[in-house]
Amino acid sequence: MEKQEYTITLYTENSIGLIGRISTIFSRRKINIESLNTSPSEVEGIHRFTIVITEAEDLLRKLCRQLEKQIDILKAYYNTNDEVIWQEQALYKVPADVVNEKVYVERLLRQYGANVVVIRNDYIVFETAGHREEIDKLTEELTKYGLIEFVRGARIAIIKDSAGFHSKLVQFEAKEPSIEIVENEYLDKRDDVFTM
């Protein structure tokens, strides 16, 4: 089967050591993680990992099943680039005199939707978001004009045909409701109950 780029979305509990266990699963299979982002999700207490890899789909299916066996991972999805809406963010540090003197650089930054983050006498920092190809092209162009520094953030992605993880939790709760927690009626009367 042919390799292609996939975005893996993991919904997890926020627990210590989870990122190490996830990376171990990838390294055992000799799979390179091209991009990794983690953040809170739309559900309180649930975190979302967005991982980009290039691999064959049959191996990816097995990988997701293996990831879901981890106790802290609630669900693993994988999607092609056509099935997700995604962006990457980048910061560029450019000499201030180049931006001030070269009209082409200013037009280029405007064309790519770059916004100014910091202005100093010696340099200006811009940020932009877009697909990897757009960021690569802007980086290539700015290199011609003395690009001082560049950094790209990891991919963030939303699955196009998804109602979100919260709806899955609501469906699960409707099928298998949790046991109602009974509060101890004496819990807030400690001093009255335990006296000496």
Side-chain angles (χ1 to χ4, degrees), residues 75-105:
K75 190 65 183 160
Y77 298 100
Y78 68 90
N79 299 92
T80 63
N81 286 342
D82 295 336
E83 297 170 331
V84 293
I85 299 165
W86 61 277
Q87 293 280 292
E88 293 178 4
Q89 188 175 19
L91 290 173
Y92 304 89
K93 187 192 288 184
V94 182
D97 59 337
V98 169
V99 177
N100 294 334
E101 295 170 11
K102 308 276 186 194
V103 177
Y104 175 75
V105 174

Side-chain angles (χ1 to χ4, degrees), residues 175-193:
K175 282 185 192 175
E176 298 182 34
S178 60
I179 300 168
E180 190 173 324
I181 298 173
V182 179
E183 291 289 329
N184 185 336
E185 61 186 288
Y186 301 106
L187 196 59
D188 61 343
K189 298 178 176 121
R190 183 177 145 227
D191 293 336
D192 297 334
V193 174

Side-chain angles (χ1 to χ4, degrees), residues 4-172:
Q4 75 177 69
E5 188 173 79
Y6 287 96
T7 301
I8 299 172
T9 304
L10 303 177
Y11 287 95
T12 71
E13 295 177 13
N14 188 18
S15 59
I16 296 170
L18 181 59
I19 197 163
R21 292 199 314 270
I22 290 170
S23 65
T24 299
I25 291 170
F26 282 85
S27 63
R28 280 186 189 149
R29 288 170 175 70
K30 298 187 179 5
I31 298 172
N32 183 42
I33 295 175
E34 295 176 25
S35 173
L36 171 68
N37 180 35
T38 182
S39 68
S41 74
E42 66 275 14
V43 181
E44 187 178 338
I46 305 295
H47 275 61
R48 179 184 184 128
F49 282 74
T50 305
I51 303 169
V52 178
I53 65 168
T54 301
E55 201 49 69
E57 187 176 4
D58 58 339
L59 189 125
L60 191 62
R61 195 175 300 115
K62 292 175 190 173
L63 177 69
C64 285
R65 282 198 300 263
Q66 183 67 35
L67 287 164
E68 285 182 340
K69 288 180 183 177
Q70 297 294 309
I71 195 152
D72 299 322
I73 297 177
L74 306 172
K75 190 65 183 160
Y77 298 100
Y78 68 90
N79 299 92
T80 63
N81 286 342
D82 295 336
E83 297 170 331
V84 293
I85 299 165
W86 61 277
Q87 293 280 292
E88 293 178 4
Q89 188 175 19
L91 290 173
Y92 304 89
K93 187 192 288 184
V94 182
D97 59 337
V98 169
V99 177
N100 294 334
E101 295 170 11
K102 308 276 186 194
V103 177
Y104 175 75
V105 174
E106 187 180 333
R107 276 194 218 129
L108 185 69
L109 293 166
R110 208 173 300 136
Q111 175 188 340
Y112 283 92
N115 298 312
V116 175
V117 178
V118 172
I119 299 175
R120 289 189 23 164
N121 290 336
D122 50 344
Y123 64 81
I124 300 175
V125 176
F126 296 93
E127 66 88 19
T128 189
H131 287 170
R132 182 182 307 122
E133 297 79 19
E134 298 165 334
I135 291 172
D136 287 344
K137 182 69 176 157
L138 181 57
T139 306
E140 182 183 317
E141 290 296 318
L142 289 176
T143 302
K144 298 173 188 174
Y145 295 95
L147 179 65
I148 300 169
E149 197 172 345
F150 161 74
V151 64
R152 173 187 286 147
R155 176 179 293 189
I156 54 173
I158 292 178
I159 303 168
K160 288 180 182 177
D161 296 330
S162 170
F165 192 67
H166 184 258
S167 67
K168 301 265 189 223
L169 286 176
V170 170
Q171 289 171 4
F172 179 74

